[in-house]
Amino acid sequence: MAQGANRTAVQVVGVVVLAAAVTAFLAVAAVRHGFFDLKVYYGALTWWVHDGGEIYDYLKPNTQYGFTYPPFAALVMLPMAYLPWPAAIVVSVLASVATTTVLIWWLVDPIARRAGWTRWFALAVALCLAAAFEPMRETVNFGQVNTLLLFLVAVDLLRLLPTGNRWAGVGIGLATAIKLTPGIFIVYLLVTGRWRAALTASGAAAGVSLLAGALFPDASREFWTEALWNTGRVGELAFVSNQSLRGVVARLDPLHPSTLLWLLLVLGTLALWAWRSRAAVAAGDEATGLALTGAVMCLVSPVTWVHHLVWLLPALILLVDNATAAPAGRRRRVLLAAATIGYVLLISRTVWFWEKDFTGVDGFLGSNAYVWISLALLAFLPVRRWLTPGGSVVETSGVPQLDEPDRRAPAGERHLVGRLLTVR
C-alpha cells in the first residue's frame, strides 16, 4: 500500500512539473492569434443571422478572409451566433480539449496497458505533450475545428468499423460535410474495400448537405457555385505555413508555381498511400490506416496550414506504440528516436525561420520541414502484424492478416494481443 501511494505521489509531482514546464514553454513559444479564425466564423454568422447579410459575402474587416466551409458547417456553428463572444471562445476551447482528450485516450491507453504504465499518468503526460504540439496549440489559438473533425473520423475507424457497427462511416460523412478535405477518408474506405462504410459515409455527407441546402438555399447555391472556387479567400499558397506539396512547389517559384509538377507529386504520393493503406487494413491495423490517411490528406491538400497538421498526432503516438511493442534493441531505439525527432520539430516552429526568405538549399529544406515529416510518416510508419494466440503470424499472399478471432475482436482488445512489428 505504501509503495503504491509513493508511486502515485511521484507521478502526481511528475505531472505537475511537466505541466509547469509546458506552460513556461508555451508562454515563450506560442503565438497568440487571438482566435482569429473563430472571429471569422463568429463575424460571418452574426452578419448572416442578425444583420441580414449573406454568410459567404462576409469578410473579416481589413482582411481577405471569409467563411470558407460548406453550408452544413454553418448549420453546426449556428448556435454561436446567439452566444456572447467570450462564451464562443470557451465553447471552442472546451470542444478542442474534450475531443483531443478522448482521441489521445483511445491511442495511449493500449500502450499504457501493455507497458504496465499507470493509465491516468500516461494520459496526463500525453495531454501535456499534446499541448506543446505546434499544430495543436495553433488549432486552439486560432479557434479551429481540426480536432472535432479528427475525432469524428476516429470514432468510425477506431471504434465502429473494427466491430462491424452498421453506423460506421457516419462520422466520416459528417466531417466531410463540415469541411471537404476529410472526404479522402471516403476514398480510403473505397481503396481498402469497405464498400458499406464508404456508402454510409457518402450518404451521411450527402444527406446533411442536402438538409443544409433545404434550410439555406441561397447560401448553398453561393457556396457550391462561387465561394468554393474562390481560392483567394484562403491565403497565399507560397506562405510558409502552407505545409503541403502544393506549398513546396509554390515556394520553388511563387510567381509561377508548376501545376504539372504538383499533380505528379500528388499522384505519386497517393499511389504510395493506397499501397500502404491496403497493407494496414489487410493486417487489421485500422489505427495506422487512420494515421496514413491523415498524413496524405495534409500532403495532397492544396492548402495545409500548420494547424491542420493535428492530423499527424495519431502517427506520432503510433510510433511510440510500435516502439513499446518492439523487443528491446535497435528497432525500439530507432522508433523512439523517430517519434522524438518528429515531435521536437513539430513543437519548434522550425519552418518560421524561413518565413521571409525560403530561397536556397537551406530554405528548401527548412521551410518545408513539416512536409518532410508527413512524407516520412507516410512512407515508414510501421504496419503491425498481429500474432495468433499460438504465436504465429497469419499471412495471405504475402500481406499480413489477422486470424478470424482477432479480426472480430474490438480494436481495444487487439492491442492486448502480442505483436510482431514490421514495415511494409
Side-chain angles (χ1 to χ4, degrees), residues 140-164:
V140 174
N141 282 330
F142 272 116
Q144 265 284 342
V145 298
N146 304 309
T147 60
L148 171 62
L149 303 180
L150 178 52
F151 171 77
L152 287 172
V153 171
V155 168
D156 276 343
L157 298 189
L158 300 183
R159 282 300 184 258
L160 300 184
L161 200 59
T163 59

Side-chain angles (χ1 to χ4, degrees), residues 108-245:
V108 169
D109 187 54
I111 308 175
R113 287 174 176 268
R114 185 181 58 251
W117 302 340
T118 305
R119 295 162 70 195
W120 73 263
F121 176 70
L123 176 63
V125 169
L127 288 174
C128 286
L129 295 177
F133 189 55
E134 183 178 354
M136 185 65 68
R137 65 187 193 239
E138 293 278 286
T139 287
V140 174
N141 282 330
F142 272 116
Q144 265 284 342
V145 298
N146 304 309
T147 60
L148 171 62
L149 303 180
L150 178 52
F151 171 77
L152 287 172
V153 171
V155 168
D156 276 343
L157 298 189
L158 300 183
R159 282 300 184 258
L160 300 184
L161 200 59
T163 59
N165 191 295
R166 64 191 181 94
W167 293 102
V170 170
I172 291 172
L174 294 176
T176 302
I178 292 172
K179 187 174 182 179
L180 298 180
T181 47
I184 194 170
F185 284 92
I186 299 178
V187 182
Y188 166 72
L189 294 174
L190 292 171
V191 165
T192 54
R194 272 76 65 81
W195 309 107
R196 176 174 176 174
L199 182 62
T200 300
S202 301
V208 296
S209 296
L210 289 173
L211 172 63
L215 294 173
F216 317 123
D218 292 338
S220 296
R221 187 181 309 110
E222 182 168 356
F223 175 79
W224 295 110
T225 61
E226 295 183 27
L228 174 61
W229 314 104
N230 184 0
T231 57
R233 295 163 65 93
V234 300
E236 175 60 45
L237 291 176
F239 183 43
V240 75
S241 183
N242 185 13
Q243 291 293 302
S244 69
L245 293 172

Side-chain angles (χ1 to χ4, degrees), residues 34-123:
F35 299 97
F36 183 94
D37 289 355
L38 188 64
K39 284 181 180 177
V40 174
Y41 311 151
Y42 188 81
L45 289 165
T46 301
W47 163 264
W48 187 36
V49 172
H50 300 297
D51 298 331
E54 183 55 66
I55 189 168
Y56 294 108
D57 292 338
Y58 174 85
L59 292 178
K60 188 177 184 296
N62 303 315
T63 77
Q64 64 188 30
Y65 298 104
F67 195 85
T68 59
Y69 294 163
F72 178 66
L75 177 61
V76 172
M77 297 181 186
L78 192 60
M80 189 190 306
Y82 301 95
L83 294 177
W85 172 241
I89 293 175
V90 170
V91 170
S92 174
V93 172
L94 288 179
S96 292
V97 171
T99 51
T100 301
T101 299
V102 175
L103 174 68
I104 289 179
W105 174 255
W106 288 343
L107 293 171
V108 169
D109 187 54
I111 308 175
R113 287 174 176 268
R114 185 181 58 251
W117 302 340
T118 305
R119 295 162 70 195
W120 73 263
F121 176 70
L123 176 63

Side-chain angles (χ1 to χ4, degrees), residues 19 48 69 71 143 168 192 236 241 257 262 294 323 343 355 370 412 415 419:
W48 187 36
Y69 294 163
T192 54
E236 175 60 45
S241 183
W262 173 58
Y343 174 77
E355 180 181 1
Y370 299 167
H415 276 286
R419 295 186 292 184

